[in-house]
Each structure stands twice: as C-alpha cells, then as structure tokens.
Amino acid sequence: MKYSWNVISEVMRITPPILGAYREAIVDINYEGYDIPKGWKLYWNTGLTSLDPEIFPNSRRLEPSRLEEDGPAPYTYITFGGGPRICLGKEFARLEMLVFLHILIRKFTWKLLVPNEKFIYDPMPTPLQGLPISLQPHNY
C-alpha cells in the first residue's frame, strides 16, 4: 500500500485538492526586499509550491518514487496543510482513498470513454465531458 499512497500523493501534489489559504502575519516580515507589516493577510497557493521546480524537479511529471524514504522537506508537500493547522481528516482521507483505489483495481477493469478529453481550469482542472469511464467487473 506504500506505493499506492505514493501514487495518490503525487496526483494530489500535481493537482492539489485545495487551492490555498489565508494567513495573518503575526510579526513584521521582510521577504526578498518586500516589507509585510504585522496584521496583513497573506495567501499561500498550494499549486505554486507543489509545482515549483526548485522543490520538485520535473514538477509536472508523475514520479511516485520522489515521495519514498524521507520524502520532501517539511512544508514543501502541503496538500493537507502543515504544522498546527494540518488537516484533521488527513488520515481518514488517506484510508478512504486507499480503500477506494484497492477496490477499484481489484474488482474492476476500466477504460476512458473519451480518451483525449480536454480540461478547463476554473480554478481547478475540470474535464469538459465529466471524464466518463466504463467499469467492467473482473471475471474470476
């Protein structure tokens, strides 16, 4: 299941389930020559971090092996947030995704009904035709 979780994590890194969040500066900050006063609201974008080629080389390529061993540095893989505000449902979501994937793979063969379907980005990638698939139970 470790490899399955790495695949799921890579998919969520490339297409994060959340866009980001707002935070408030609790002290005055100078970041690369820009002054951010205490109290200002900041917006962090998960997509910009997870697709940063300095953090994840070949960032748009699906490479489940990049999450093996120690994995990415802290606060670089932020699909579920991080630190004291990390998603409380992370482990439940993990279990749910792994069980779903396991059942889907073990019990069904599936194929895309529109193999070259186009996507729109508003603000998340959305298949134009809803990504229809055909599921057929395995014949044991």
Side-chain angles (χ1 to χ4, degrees):
M1 287 269 184
K2 178 73 173 151
Y3 184 75
S4 296
W5 180 244
N6 288 349
V7 170
I8 291 169
S9 296
E10 260 296 87
V11 169
M12 288 191 300
R13 182 191 63 78
I14 294 169
T15 309
I18 62 167
L19 299 175
Y22 286 95
R23 296 290 182 257
E24 183 175 324
I26 57 174
V27 296
D28 290 338
I29 302 167
N30 183 287
Y31 180 75
E32 294 187 5
Y34 294 96
D35 290 322
I36 302 168
K38 177 182 175 180
W40 271 31
K41 305 295 186 258
L42 304 168
Y43 178 77
W44 60 268
N45 183 300
T46 56
L48 293 177
T49 301
S50 64
L51 294 177
D52 186 338
E54 290 183 23
I55 299 170
F56 298 102
N58 299 315
S59 63
R60 294 195 179 270
R61 188 166 177 211
L62 185 74
E63 293 179 12
S65 62
R66 79 172 81 229
L67 299 170
E68 291 176 354
E69 297 172 20
D70 293 336
Y75 298 102
T76 58
Y77 179 79
I78 52 174
T79 300
F80 290 100
R85 292 190 179 92
I86 196 163
C87 176
L88 292 174
K90 175 186 175 191
E91 291 306 316
F92 177 71
R94 176 182 173 159
L95 178 66
E96 201 170 32
M97 288 183 274
L98 286 169
V99 168
F100 173 78
L101 185 63
H102 177 76
I103 291 170
L104 183 68
I105 291 170
R106 297 264 304 137
K107 297 195 178 217
F108 298 96
T109 53
W110 60 286
K111 70 175 186 172
L112 293 172
L113 295 179
V114 184
N116 296 314
E117 184 173 6
K118 302 290 184 211
F119 285 74
I120 59 170
Y121 296 85
D122 183 35
M124 297 297 291
T126 305
L128 283 174
Q129 296 179 34
L131 201 66
I133 61 172
S134 170
L135 290 175
Q136 297 295 322
H138 287 300
N139 295 325
Y140 289 110

